Amino acid sequence: MPADPATQLPPVTVQPTPAAKAKAAQASDADVPTSLASPPPSTAAGAAEVTAVGASLALQLDGMASDGYRASLISDLGPLGSRPLLTTPFSMSVLSKELLENTQSKSIDDVLRLHPFVHNMWPVARGNPTSAVIRGFSSTTSMLDNMRLQNTAFVNVEGLERVEVLSGLSGFLYGATDPGGVINYVQKSPTRHSFANLTGGLIGESGYAHADFGGAIAPGAGTYYRVNVVRQDGGTAVDHQNVERTYVSGAVDFEISENALLQVKAFHSDFHADGSDAFWTVPGVGFYPAAPDAGRLYGQPWGFTDNRQDGVSAKLAWDIDETFTFRGGYTFIEAHTSGVAINNAANHVNGTYTQTGIANAAGTLTTKSGVNRHPSLPPHRRAMLTPSRLELLRLQARSCGA
């Protein structure tokens, strides 16, 4: 039966949003090379797979302020690789580079405060390894460039390109993990155009300076660099608390060919806090003490934490052909920690609390992590079980009908 003309809807015309127009204008800016400003075609929404080489460049323009900080890509998702969020069957959220910069986030405390389902388990000045609570579940599992951190890392926000949160079960991707999810801290990568950013000011009563610069080492040689240097020293917004922090990182990209990219990154981090924050325990159910004074030190001025780290990583991405991609990576981090921690136990009867000091002897923790040391296939040709060794390449190809 033909439709009643009176009930037919008028045709709809879709016009680009102002944000989309701004992004298109940015991509055509003559001052920005096309290789950086224009993400490869495979990164468009709905694409089945993001190419290994193009993903590193596309991430630098993903989640811009002009897009409402809404990201469209995931940097790396276990054996699935870099993917558009639209076609990723997991609960994922991204805090982009411009969001971190424009909110002036200077610590993981500041970063996780931006996420509605995540909060940090203890403040950075406490000195414990970075841990979070995701959807009510404590999570000590975190990643650095998709490689696992084993409770050894103090994460410096100035060295991050973005923060990705996978909410829910992730054992299929990363092995045994906490049920709440995992956080992936993505380090900055080299840019294809020269730039230099200098930032300085005060955080509380401490002086702060940050230099971020990069570009091509040798024009036309396919070699690019990125360097970040941070220094902070002085008092914080908390009485009797002082922070001294130094961070230096470097990254180099080697474009071996149009289809192969080798990335090498290294960093040194030195963090010292006097008057470190106390850890609270509240006994009983239904006891809620009054909100604490944010400027008061509930620990002791002689409490302190030291954390010194040195790390290096290397990743290789090679698009062998339209079917096969090889990705491999390795990270080594050595951390030295020591300090005196203060624990406060609240008394639900009279509102007082008991304080205990615990001396943590100097110790060394080492992380050795590898990722994706296997070939991968596009989604329409990937077997149910991803092989863990290169020797299984031929077997997987036959099982997929290649």
Side-chain angles (χ1 to χ4, degrees):
M1 172 181 282
D4 185 355
T7 63
Q8 290 183 349
L9 297 176
V12 177
T13 302
V14 179
Q15 297 292 339
T17 64
K21 293 179 180 179
K23 189 171 184 178
Q26 179 185 10
S28 61
D29 192 342
D31 294 335
V32 181
T34 304
S35 60
L36 173 62
S38 303
S42 59
T43 64
E49 184 96 356
V50 180
T51 60
V53 176
S56 177
L57 303 181
L59 290 174
Q60 296 177 359
L61 287 178
D62 193 38
M64 305 287 280
S66 59
D67 297 321
Y69 304 114
R70 184 177 58 192
S72 60
L73 297 173
I74 289 295
S75 67
D76 212 342
L77 190 62
L80 302 181
S82 185
R83 303 179 54 83
L85 268 171
L86 187 64
T87 60
T88 301
F90 294 95
S91 177
M92 302 286 303
S93 52
V94 176
L95 304 176
S96 66
K97 176 188 67 174
E98 282 209 349
L99 178 61
L100 301 183
E101 291 177 351
N102 293 345
T103 55
Q104 300 186 40
S105 298
K106 298 295 186 291
S107 69
I108 294 301
D109 295 346
D110 299 331
V111 171
L112 299 186
R113 193 177 294 122
L114 303 173
H115 199 289
F117 303 130
V118 182
H119 68 268
N120 56 336
M121 195 174 297
W122 35 63
V124 169
R126 165 74 178 179
N128 296 77
T130 301
S131 299
V133 176
I134 305 175
R135 290 184 172 179
F137 293 93
S138 61
S139 175
T140 58
T141 303
S142 57
M143 311 284 172
L144 187 67
D145 287 341
N146 204 46
M147 289 181 274
R148 294 187 68 151
L149 298 176
Q150 302 299 331
N151 284 340
T152 63
F154 178 90
V155 180
N156 290 270
V157 177
E158 293 85 357
L160 298 181
E161 191 80 55
R162 52 168 46 198
V163 177
E164 301 172 343
V165 179
L166 189 159
S167 303
L169 300 178
S170 56
F172 165 74
L173 300 171
Y174 302 110
T177 58
D178 301 295
V182 298
I183 300 177
N184 182 30
Y185 300 102
V186 182
Q187 298 183 94
K188 289 179 178 177
S189 295
T191 59
R192 298 311 186 254
H193 66 288
S194 297
F195 82 102
N197 290 331
L198 299 176
T199 304
L202 293 174
I203 302 178
E205 298 176 357
S206 62
Y208 175 86
H210 173 211
D212 181 9
F213 49 94
I217 295 177
T223 307
Y224 308 89
Y225 76 98
R226 184 77 172 266
V227 174
N228 278 267
V229 180
V230 177
R231 177 64 179 174
Q232 179 184 350
D233 190 6
T236 70
V238 178
D239 293 338
H240 310 296
Q241 186 178 85
N242 292 274
V243 168
E244 184 178 356
R245 179 166 68 103
T246 301
Y247 173 72
V248 180
S249 70
V252 179
D253 277 6
F254 301 93
E255 291 186 353
I256 302 173
S257 69
E258 293 183 356
N259 301 318
L261 176 66
L262 174 64
Q263 296 181 302
V264 179
K265 301 177 181 180
F267 71 89
H268 169 77
S269 172
D270 199 341
F271 178 86
H272 177 87
D274 290 316
S276 55
D277 291 311
F279 183 80
W280 286 87
T281 57
V282 179
V285 178
F287 172 71
Y288 299 98
D293 181 356
R296 177 182 172 184
L297 177 64
Y298 287 90
Q300 292 291 338
W302 41 264
F304 74 94
T305 181
D306 270 317
N307 182 289
R308 187 176 73 257
Q309 293 184 121
D310 294 286
V312 62
S313 65
K315 297 183 72 174
L316 173 64
W318 176 27
D319 294 327
I320 302 174
D321 54 30
E322 295 182 356
T323 301
F324 295 104
T325 294
F326 176 84
R327 294 178 293 123
Y330 184 78
T331 289
F332 176 87
I333 300 175
E334 187 173 78
H336 304 271
T337 61
S338 63
V340 175
I342 305 299
N343 294 336
N344 294 339
N347 188 327
H348 68 280
V349 176
N350 54 18
T352 61
Y353 60 91
T354 303
Q355 193 169 83
T356 305
I358 301 175
N360 298 318
T364 300
L365 300 172
T366 302
T367 291
K368 298 178 182 179
S369 181
V371 64
N372 300 340
R373 291 175 292 180
H374 54 71
S376 61
L377 296 171
H380 64 285
R381 305 193 65 176
R382 184 178 288 121
M384 290 298 293
L385 297 178
T386 306
S388 60
R389 295 185 180 279
L390 185 59
E391 292 81 38
L392 296 181
L393 172 60
R394 293 186 296 274
L395 296 178
Q396 188 183 22
R398 286 200 295 268
S399 70
C400 295

